[in-house]
Each structure stands twice: as C-alpha cells, then as structure tokens.
Amino acid sequence: MKQYTPMIQQYLTVKAQYEDAFLFFRLGDFYEMFFEDATKASQLLEITLTSRDGGQSGRIPMCGVPYHSAASYIEQLVELGYKVAICEQTEDPKQAKGVVKREVVQLITPGTVMEGKGLQEKENNYIAALIHEADDTYALAFCDVSTGESRTAKLSALDEVINEISTLRAKEIVIQEELDELVRKQLKERLQVTLSIEDTAEEQEDFQALMEEVADSALRTAVSLLFHYLHRTQKRSLTHLQPVIVYEVNQFMKIDFYSKRNLELTETIRSKGKKGSLLWLLDETMTAMGGRMLKQWIDRPLIDPGKINERLSMVEVLIGSFFERQEVRELLKEVYDLERLAGRVAFGNVNGRDLVQLKKSLQQIPVLKELLLQIQSPAVHKLSKAMNPCEELTDLLERALVEQPPISVKEGGIIREGFHPELDEYRDASRNGKNWIANLQAEERERTGIKSLKIGYNRIFGYYIEVTKANLHLLQDDRYERKQTLANCERFITPELKEKETLILQANEKSVELEYELFLEVREQVKEFIPQLQELSRLVSELDVLQCFAEVSEKRQYVKPQLTNSRELFIKDGRHPVVEKVMDSQEYVPNDCVMDEEREMLLVTGPNMSGKSTYMRQIALTAVMAQIGCFVPASEAVVPVFDQVFTRIGAADDLISGQSTFMVEMLEAKNAVTNATRQSLILFDEIGRGTSTYDGMALAQAIIEYIHEHIQAKTLFSTHYHELTVLEEELSRLKNVHVSAVEQNGRVVFLHKIKEGAADKSYGIHVAQLAELPDELIERAAALLKEFEKEEAAASPKVRVQEGEKQEQKTVVKEAAGQLSFFEEEPASVSSKPASPKEKHIIEELKSYDLLEMTPLEAMNALYALQKKLKKS
Ligand code: ADP
Ligand code: MG
C-alpha cells in the first residue's frame, strides 16, 4: 500500500470491498476508474485510457466519465451484466483535512436498476435469490425493486429453477458462498445471469412484517438473503417492499422454457422481440402496470377452473359494454405507473412533476369507479368498490402542488399559493419588493429627468441603477454610489435600493428553502400511502388486462371457451391468432380439432409448408389463451384444463439451431415424456428429424407408442415419416389427420385444411418446384429419385441386416426402405440434349448423394448448390 499516494490508497481500500463491481470513484466533476477497472471500462465504454501518478509505483491506468453524463455509462455497464459501485465524496473538500472522505452510496446491479433504459415500462425487472437445500430441493425468492413485489417458492429440481428464473427473466441471482460449483455453472451457462454473493441470510427485525406469510424455513432464508442483499447494495429506504407472497409452481399451468419459446408466448424465436408474439397480439393494455400484469398472466396461465371462469365472465361483460369500455380505456390512459411511482417515492427520487402525475392519476379513480358501476355486473361492481381512490392524498396533492412544477426540486416554483401561510408571506414580500423597485424606476426617471434610466439586476452586484454616459451629467445627487462602468453606461446603487434588495433576496431565499422543506414533507406524506397505492395499482392493472382481453376478443372475433371436466377437446374453426393477424391479403383457413377418448393422439401428416406446425401451435395457443382467461380464436371451443403444455420441435426444424443438436432434441423429448400427465398437452413437431431416417423414424414410433401406452396425454404428433401412419391400426386411441394439398398442373397447391386420415403423398420435390428451381433440374431430380428408389429396393436386404435387432418389433421401419415415395407419378422424360462435361460432373455429384441420410433442409441446400453450378456452366 505504502507505495501509492494517499488517495490511491483510499481507492484501493474501497475497491477491496467491491471487487466484483466497477468502482466509480468521484474526483471533482468526474467519476474515475483505476487499474484493471480502467483498462476494462475504457474498452467496454470506448473511452480514452489515460494514466495518473500513483506514487512510488509510477503511473497507473485511469479513465473517467463526467459526473453529469455518468448515467448513460452506468446503464451500458449494467446492461452488459456488470455492477457499478458509486463512490461519492462524503465531506466538503474545503473542510477536509488530508484526503476527502469517500463512501460507496449505492451499488447498481442488473437486478436492481430503478430507472433508465434498463427498465422497460411494460416489463418487470426481477432479482432472484436461491438456496440449495440438503435434500436437493431449492428455495427461490424474487423481487422487483422498482415495484416492490416479492414472491417465493419451493422448487424440486434444478430444471425447475432454470425454468422459473428464465420465465421471470431475472438478470441477477443472489447466492450463498457455499452454493456448489455445479449449480453455479448451470445457472451461469443456461441463464446468462449475473451471480452475486451475499454472506448473511439471518432473519432481521426489519423484514419480519414482510415475511408474515412465509412459514417454511428454507423460504425464509431465501427471502432474508435477498433482502440483505438489497439493503446492502441500495443503502436506502425500501419501505415500498410489499409483503412476500408464497406460491407453488403447480398452482399454474406449467410451460417449460423451451415450450414457451416454441409457442412464442412473450417473444419470438427469431428476433427475441415482443413483436410477433402472443403478448404482442394481446397487448391492448392502456397502462404500464397493466402491461406488466398481462405478461405475468401469459407466463402463468391458471389451472383453477373457478378462477379462469371468473376472468372469462368479466371479459364477457366488458365485451358487452362497448361504450363503457371505451370510456374506461380513455380514463386508464391518464393513469400513470402508480406501482413504480410508489417505489420511487420510497427511494426518495420523485420530483414535483411525478407528484402532479400521481395527482392526475388519482383524479381519474372516482370517475372510473362511477363508470364501472354503470356496467350491470356484480363482479364489476365489486371491483369498483374495492378501488380506494385515496381522496386524502389527492386532496393533499391538489392543494400542495402547482400545475406545472419544474424538474428541479430545490429551486422553488413547486408549491401552490395558499398551501402554507409563511410561504405566502415570503412570496408577498418578494413580490411587493419587486413592485417597489418598478415604482422606484419611475420616480428616479422623474427626479433626474433621464428617460432611459433603468433599474436592473445581476447576481454579482444585485439591483443597480443604470445611466448612459451621455446622461451622467444629470446625476447630481451624492446618494448615487458608482459600482460598475461599462462601455457606454455606468451602474449605481443607493442605500434605499440596497435595503430593499436585502429584503427581497432574503424573502426569495427563504421561500425557496421553505418550498423544498414543504416538498419533502409532502413526499413523506405520500410515503404513508404506498400500500394503498400498490393495492390500487393491482386493481387497476387487473381491470386493464381484462378490458384488453375484451378489446382483442371483440376486434378479432374470438369466442368464450367452455371449460370441461371430461377429457375432451373440441375446437371449431380454430385459427392461429398471430399467423392470422400477420397474414395480410390472404385468408387464414380455419380448422377444427376434435380430441376425445378415442382420439387421444393425432398423427399429423402432410407436405412441407402445408400448415402442420401452425395447426399444432394454434391448439396449444388456444389452450393457453383460455387458461389466462381470454377468449379464443375459434367459432366454438370446448377445452379441458391442461396442467402442462409441452412442445418439442425436431432439430432440423428448429430455427434457433446452431446450438441445437439432436441431443438437445432428445433431452427435450425426455423431459416431456417423463413429466407429462394425462391432463397434459403434448406437441411433437417432426421429432426424430435430427438423425438419419431409420433411426429417427424408429425413435418417433417408440415415442408415440410410449405416450399412447403410459401417459395418455392429449398429443399432436406431426411427422414427415409417412410410414408411421399405419400405427393407427395398432394404437386404438391414435388417429391420422393430414393437411390437404392438391396438385394442379403438376404443382402443389396447399389448402391448409386439416382432414381425417393420412396424407397419401410426400410432396418433397414439389416444394422445390414452388421454389422455382429450373424445370430441367426438377425433372432430372425426379428421374434420379426414381432410380434411387429402385436401387434402394435392391439394397434393402442389407439395410435390414444393419437394422439388426430392431427388426422384429419395428415392422413399420422394416418396410420403409421399399416405400419411400417422394414422387409417385411417372416423371416426364428428361431432356435428350447431350450433357456437357461439367453437367455430367454435376449429375455424378447428384447421384452420389445419399438422400436417406439427409434431412429435407440439407437436401434443399444441396439442390440449391447444384443449381448454382448449373447456372454458371
Ligand atoms: P409445415 O409445418 O407443414 O411445414 P407450417 O405450419 O410451417 O407448415 O406452415 C407454412 C406456412 O403456411 C405458414 O407460414 C403460413 O403462412 C401458412 N399457413 C399455415 N396454416 C395456414 C392456414 N390454416 N391458413 C392459411 N395459411 C396457413
Ligand atoms: Mg413444420
């Protein structure tokens, strides 16, 4: 240490306590970083790396950002998953002996940002804490610091932990030092979160009130760990934290992470954005807090039919009250984010404008309540009655604040006239003084006869009398004391002017001071209302989401789903809500779906691009929409309540591929097969595609049989393995359906219509035709395939030998080799023009392809490459 200057020594002492954070060390108007922090930050933030004399050890790396623009740099670092410790000067440099005292006043972390870009209006920002128990279960607690909402749950396995945290999109997890390395690694790799270590998990007095509902000791530990971390890092009042809610994962429909992604519930697979997701389609919320609640509802569909029906009937009522609903929407538009505002009040960073917005929001509530009473529904009336408009608070804010206060809270102009007598007096004094000065100017002009005489004010000299040089001779009196000489005028003061000036300035100063005090008082009073505001915010959000469902359902002509206890699913004219919305000119083709005791599983076949995946997803989305309490895209729908939804997509079809391998596909399939129950919905979309044909087909069949025999969940299984359709004969609860297509002039036209029975053709090459590959190439490919089929038939005994022991059970697989029928018609004759050497070469290449070993996508790519070569030749 000795080798460094005293200031660098101070820096190092502080830094030692915040090793995992960038230390923003306040030096005058800059936050400086040193050593490794400096080298790393200069790269991340693209700022210049300099150096500074560090003492005997020579120069040390340094970089810095100006104090006034620090926020955006902090945001950038936090966005990247880093933490930033803000170290301020905590004593006046003028008074300091030696190095100015400095302390960290806040640690900003990805999970605890309170403002800025990191905080999306319609999204929660959660931070989680995790405890790993000796019996290999987990206790999870999480909190949104900006809204004060906290929850906790027991989880039985790491997979469940990963699922919950990825649903929450928590950016930071607080853990204990002793958490095992393996778990840490999984959390880091699979969730890409910041891990933060907190030593203390002891329960504390301060937290007791928040933890009343939490009985389980592991949960209490997790919550305490989280709260300790929040207090340690935020170093300020967290009075807005709401009582912790205990929940169980099986209170809700379980949809694991992959399924959520596949169904594009809250973000799309491709862009990872909201646009194109179910959330995007449904989001007709008018408030930020409603937007957040909508997302929470989509993330956690209900399984209690009573609760689902409550929501559904509210939506029904709201659909029936068109005019009232439109008025509700208008009113909600004026309601500010009460929930986050309450958080900022507790944090102490609201200004006059925020409080005015709070006032305006609260002013809507009585009108809203009245309006709801006009809707004829006991449930709506109940909601109206439950809303507490916090009249006292509205009244306070109306009396206290002017209509348009400034951003700054320290420069006055916030408090309304008549709110506080003393303030009014100061203001009068200052106003009278100003009048007096205006009068004085008139008097002085009269007395001296100088028409251009002016009284002005500046910060250095205060009030002065200004006389141009040409008129100086008219000033005879020695009352005028010269203060300042300018190019063409001189400025004077008089004793009476100075006397008044003191009065005015004092009054001004006092009034600004008093205003700030009054503002703080008002803010303290608002704090008292935080719990009421949070409750109000919850009710308003609920109303907002329900009106949103009504709005979308009416606009898009959805119907109220009827929940059934029998294991029956009946959807008439079902649509995929998002595909339907984004298809502009074309008509979406509606499809029915019937699944009952005899039709537990549907095997969906049909050409590529015919609509298999869309059909399966629309059924899952219909289930999810029904269970969040929204109407569904169909003309009639009877649905059971599903406990879980699984969707698995074959690796070759998986758009996120790259990291996706056949292994992942199988792991996902395993997860579904082991966790699904009779009450679950399973979608398997071209499972088995990621491996070679026989292998994949065998696996697909085995999976179907297993589900049919052991799980009996409602299952939709799409496949391009045509050969699997014979399973219908063996498995009593499995039925074939297919997406129909017709051939017109040798081309496929997709009808997107689901029909009973198996598709009778594979239209592989027709898709290539649709892609407008040259006719010659298509014809040649058809001919080659024909040839290949012949060869394959001849070679099939060899295949059988290879397939070895699988042979006896897998009848279907055994026969497959002779049956592969990419193209059933006699192909048109191939061009008779002799091929050039290059063309011959290409043909040889085409011949060499082992199509059975290729996925359709690979085949397409190979065709594409050949075509490119042909075009060149
Ligand atoms: P598959 O899984 O059979 O290859 P997809 O489900 O991916 O086919 O559908 C391919 C395309 O067909 C979709 O992107 C969509 O544009 C269109 N499509 C699917 N179903 C319908 C439908 N019912 N009505 C209209 N267009 C549809
Ligand atoms: Mg598909």
Side-chain angles (χ1 to χ4, degrees), residues 268-437:
T268 59
I269 297 174
R270 269 168 213 270
S271 69
K272 295 238 158 62
K274 176 177 166 187
K275 187 155 190 251
S277 67
L278 181 66
L279 175 63
W280 165 78
L281 170 91
L282 290 179
D283 194 356
E284 286 285 348
T285 57
M286 304 301 287
T287 66
M289 40 192 179
R292 291 195 296 272
M293 187 173 276
L294 171 63
K295 185 152 180 286
Q296 291 184 4
W297 284 15
I298 294 176
D299 275 332
R300 296 188 197 283
L302 302 173
I303 51 168
D304 176 349
K307 285 191 185 146
I308 300 172
N309 278 323
E310 257 172 46
R311 286 187 191 170
L312 286 172
S313 44
M314 283 281 255
V315 173
E316 189 171 33
V317 168
L318 289 168
I319 290 180
S321 322
F322 178 82
F323 293 106
E324 290 85 353
R325 191 173 80 236
Q326 297 317 315
E327 274 184 64
V328 165
R329 287 170 63 79
E330 285 305 309
L331 287 172
L332 287 178
K333 216 192 264 174
E334 304 298 318
V335 180
Y336 186 63
D337 196 338
L338 297 173
E339 203 182 14
R340 279 204 169 138
L341 189 109
R344 308 228 321 272
V345 169
F347 247 59
N349 49 6
V350 284
N351 60 18
R353 290 190 183 172
D354 293 323
L355 292 188
V356 166
Q357 271 174 309
L358 174 59
K359 179 192 77 179
K360 283 190 185 148
S361 309
L362 289 175
Q363 284 168 337
Q364 313 302 317
I365 306 300
V367 195
L368 186 63
K369 279 166 70 86
E370 199 50 44
L371 184 59
L372 292 178
L373 288 179
Q374 288 167 26
I375 299 175
Q376 295 311 314
S377 148
V380 176
H381 289 191
K382 200 171 141 212
L383 182 62
S384 162
K385 295 219 177 76
M387 287 181 186
N388 174 358
C390 304
E391 276 144 348
E392 252 176 87
L393 178 58
T394 321
D395 178 60
L396 169 71
L397 297 173
E398 280 171 353
R399 281 186 298 116
L401 301 166
V402 300
E403 285 304 309
Q404 290 176 321
I407 293 177
S408 162
V409 295
K410 288 195 173 159
E411 283 158 34
I414 302 178
I415 303 292
R416 192 184 278 273
E417 207 72 66
F419 179 66
H420 197 269
E422 210 180 323
L423 178 64
D424 289 349
E425 267 170 42
Y426 290 136
R427 281 181 173 161
D428 268 351
S430 132
R431 211 174 300 133
N432 287 340
K434 282 178 188 155
N435 280 339
W436 182 88
I437 284 179

Side-chain angles (χ1 to χ4, degrees), residues 613 653 685-686:
S613 302
D653 237 19
D685 195 353
E686 313 239 8

Side-chain angles (χ1 to χ4, degrees), residues 180-190 195:
D180 36 296
E181 202 45 52
L182 226 70
V183 177
R184 271 189 216 201
K185 196 164 159 252
Q186 290 269 332
L187 292 175
K188 256 206 181 123
E189 278 174 9
R190 291 172 64 187
L195 294 182

Side-chain angles (χ1 to χ4, degrees), residues 579 583 587-589 591 607-614 752:
V579 175
M583 279 182 36
E587 284 278 294
Y588 189 88
V589 181
N591 275 305
N608 256 332
M609 292 299 288
S610 61
K612 299 183 294 298
S613 302
T614 311
H752 302 305

Side-chain angles (χ1 to χ4, degrees), residues 42-60:
S42 68
Q43 286 167 0
L44 293 169
L45 299 172
E46 294 176 15
I47 49 180
T48 322
L49 183 66
T50 56
S51 65
R52 179 190 180 97
D53 180 19
Q56 290 164 25
S57 59
R59 301 195 72 79
I60 53 173

Side-chain angles (χ1 to χ4, degrees), residues 662 666 687-702 721 803 806 813 852-853:
F662 184 65
M666 284 299 112
I687 278 282
R689 237 176 130 160
T691 180
S692 69
T693 306
Y694 296 138
D695 219 12
M697 196 152 56
L699 276 165
Q701 180 174 347
Y721 298 128
E803 289 294 301
K806 287 184 199 156
V813 175
L852 278 187
E853 293 295 327

